Amino acid sequence: MNQPGTSTSLFARLRFVLVETSHPGNVGAVARAMKTMGFSQLVLVNPRFPDVLQQEEAIAFASGALDVLGAARIVGSFEEALDGCNFAAALSARLREYSPPVLTPRTLAAHLMAGDSLNAALVFGSERYGLPNEIIERCNALINIPANPDYSSLNLAQAAQVLAYEARLASTGDAIPPTVIGFQGEAASLAQIEGMYAHLEQALVAIDFLDPDNPKKLMPRFKRLFSRTQLETEEVNILRGIARQILLKLGR
């Protein structure tokens, strides 16, 4: 094998290897699954159709991932598919008596992320036969997706999507990235919020909803309610405007 590359990014270190894939649509769908999670290295080992990358079904299922599909490599052997890799993980719904260690997708992704010197391949088998034992036994890990034991069958693209998602999550974390979409107001200060509570209390007393001589727990409950909302300045102003209008209507 060639020496692994020097990039430490998991997106640059991870390739998806499809062994003897039968249906062109699945190849396109895998390319799409990969691109949605930021991966681009796709290798096909002896696909059923030598021109699979040009077939209409593959192109249609790839949708916006034609760049991943177009850059895919077709090779004649499993050895060639792993050229440059120093780690391989086979995916199978069927556990084998003699196999490498069995990992979940999440455990595998964490392992790949922690080992920044690992140039890894995720190996998927034929839709009809899966992976033969001789290929699984040559891999470093066997990946089993925890699924419904009564119906654990995922199609090829679904399995690739699960692995790509877990790899992305391990690489980027599960925080939602910041976005400029939607209104994002300024958080209200504690002084603004306390002023709002005082204003609301006046209005509630004015409409006889709050008895100042027997307030019970009404205002603490209001405070508890609003403390869960992460009030913004504009929202505080709206609530104070409501209170002001109530008091104006009542001549207070």
Side-chain angles (χ1 to χ4, degrees):
M1 291 186 182
N2 294 338
Q3 291 299 313
T6 58
S7 175
T8 59
S9 168
L10 186 55
F11 298 104
R13 294 188 285 112
L14 187 61
R15 74 180 61 167
F16 289 67
V17 176
L18 310 184
V19 179
E20 298 183 355
T21 311
S22 298
H23 303 293
N26 284 336
V27 175
V30 168
R32 182 176 181 177
M34 291 170 56
K35 184 169 183 178
T36 60
M37 295 297 126
F39 298 95
S40 59
Q41 295 188 53
L42 177 59
V43 180
L44 311 180
V45 181
N46 292 325
R48 180 182 180 188
F49 300 103
D51 64 342
V52 61
L53 301 179
Q54 289 78 44
Q55 293 222 0
E56 290 184 6
E57 189 178 358
I59 293 170
F61 276 80
S63 189
L66 294 179
D67 53 341
V68 176
L69 184 68
R73 294 189 296 116
I74 296 179
V75 298
S77 68
F78 184 59
E79 293 78 10
E80 191 176 353
L82 294 190
D83 186 35
C85 291
N86 55 13
F87 186 93
L91 188 85
S92 177
R94 181 167 57 89
L95 300 180
R96 316 297 169 95
E97 182 178 1
Y98 299 101
S99 79
V102 179
L103 304 177
T104 66
R106 187 157 299 177
T107 302
L108 171 73
H111 176 70
L112 297 180
M113 187 59 198
D116 59 12
S117 64
L118 294 179
N119 274 17
L122 301 178
V123 184
F124 303 81
S126 161
E127 302 93 328
R128 294 183 293 176
Y129 309 117
L131 285 170
N133 289 337
E134 55 267 26
I135 284 183
I136 290 178
E137 290 168 4
R138 292 171 63 183
C139 292
N140 302 93
L142 177 63
I143 309 308
N144 187 257
I145 297 175
N148 178 4
D150 296 326
Y151 188 69
S152 60
S153 176
L154 282 78
N155 72 27
L156 180 57
Q158 289 172 333
Q161 187 76 79
V162 170
L163 269 294
Y165 168 76
E166 291 294 346
R168 181 176 185 83
L169 203 65
S171 183
T172 64
D174 59 0
I176 297 176
T179 175
V180 297
I181 298 175
F183 178 76
Q184 298 177 353
E186 178 184 349
S189 68
L190 294 177
Q192 289 172 324
I193 294 173
E194 284 302 315
M196 178 199 75
Y197 287 142
H199 214 161
L200 282 178
E201 186 171 1
Q202 293 175 21
L204 294 172
V205 169
I207 62 174
D208 296 324
F209 190 83
L210 172 61
D211 182 357
D213 297 323
N214 187 26
K216 298 183 179 179
K217 298 292 184 180
L218 182 61
M219 289 312 298
R221 287 187 180 277
F222 263 117
K223 291 181 180 182
R224 182 184 177 198
L225 184 156
F226 285 117
S227 70
R228 299 196 299 269
T229 64
Q230 297 181 328
L231 284 165
E232 297 173 356
T233 299
E234 186 63 25
E235 294 165 342
V236 167
N237 292 338
I238 291 171
L239 291 168
R240 294 198 69 166
I242 294 171
R244 186 181 304 111
Q245 192 65 21
I246 291 172
L247 293 172
L248 285 173
K249 288 290 186 181
L250 296 176
R252 303 292 180 91

